[in-house]
């Protein structure tokens, strides 16, 4: 079902629309990510609260309720201060990129790696570290850049999915003719 030409076409068109919106209005994209984070935090709070009362022991109840309250607070903070939340998410992505880059550079020096693999690990690690530092230095610009890069990725993915749907449709038509 998910590889049918119609599904590929609809996914591709949706990705193109999302890409256009993300590139044209990165601020709206950042706001949407903050709202999605808040919704996610509220969902986690609800599931943690349900887990608290699903337990038959007292100890886990308090722990799950504490986690639920923290998630609820995170969702409220995200909605009350979306700018700070976007900044925090950008810094979190920068920390992730820095950690990933350092690990990839470390992987380059493992035994048994070919020269090409070492070079690839070193290059991708260095790019991730440069990306991380650019986000750390200018997190406000980094959030807009992330939204724009996400939009460009969505555009490329969407256009390729649309072409893939046409190719799949052409392939299926050719197979049907041969049968």
């Amino acid at each position: 079902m998910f590889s049918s030409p119609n599904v590929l076409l609809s996914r591709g068109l949706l990705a193109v629309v999302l890409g256009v919106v993300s590139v044209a209005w990165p601020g709206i994209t950042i706001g949407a990510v903050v709202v999605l984070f808040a919704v996610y935090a509220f969902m986690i709070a609800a599931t943690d609260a349900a887990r608290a009362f699903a337990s038959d022991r007292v100890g886990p109840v308090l722990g799950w309720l504490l986690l639920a309250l923290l998630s609820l607070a995170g969702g409220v903070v995200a909605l009350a201060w979306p700018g700070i939340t976007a900044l925090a998410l950008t810094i979190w992505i920068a920390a992730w990129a820095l950690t990933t880059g350092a690990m990839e550079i470390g992987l380059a020096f493992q035994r048994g790696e070919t020269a090409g693999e070492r070079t690839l690990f070193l290059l991708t690690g260095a790019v991730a570290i440069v990306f991380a530092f650019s986000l750390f230095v200018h997190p406000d610009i980094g959030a807009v850049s992330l939204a724009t890069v996400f939009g460009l990725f969505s555009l490329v993915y969407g256009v390729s999915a649309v072409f893939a749907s046409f190719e799949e449709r052409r392939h299926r038509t050719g197979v049907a003719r041969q049968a």
Side-chain angles (χ1 to χ4, degrees):
M1 175 180 140
F2 291 111
S3 65
S4 78
N6 293 334
V7 172
L8 279 172
L9 181 62
S10 61
R11 285 176 53 183
L13 292 176
L14 181 63
V16 167
V17 169
L18 184 63
V20 168
V21 169
S22 296
V23 170
W25 300 289
I28 290 174
T29 304
I30 295 167
V33 168
V34 168
V35 170
L36 284 174
F37 173 77
V39 168
Y40 174 75
F42 291 142
M43 289 172 49
I44 295 300
T47 58
D48 286 348
R51 282 176 133 173
F53 296 111
S55 177
D56 59 348
R57 295 179 294 175
V58 175
V61 171
L62 294 176
W64 287 117
L65 283 177
L66 179 61
L67 287 175
L69 287 174
L70 287 172
S71 295
L72 180 66
V76 169
V77 166
L79 293 178
W81 296 292
I84 293 172
T85 303
L87 184 67
L89 290 172
T90 303
I91 290 171
W92 182 261
I93 291 170
W96 168 79
L98 181 64
T99 303
T100 302
M103 291 182 79
E104 287 182 354
I105 288 174
L107 288 172
F109 297 105
Q110 284 188 340
R111 282 187 175 175
E113 302 295 333
T114 65
E117 290 170 332
R118 285 181 200 269
T119 304
L120 183 63
F121 279 132
L122 285 171
L123 185 61
T124 57
V127 168
I129 288 173
V130 168
F131 174 65
F133 280 118
S134 68
L135 289 178
F136 279 133
V137 172
H138 294 291
D140 52 339
I141 297 170
V144 174
S145 299
L146 285 173
T148 304
V149 168
F150 172 73
L152 293 172
F153 170 79
S154 294
L155 282 170
V156 170
Y157 172 80
V159 168
S160 67
V162 168
F163 281 115
S165 74
F166 292 142
E167 183 63 27
E168 180 67 21
R169 185 169 285 133
R170 188 182 64 76
H171 175 72
R172 286 185 181 195
T173 304
V175 169
R177 285 184 189 159
Q178 288 177 356

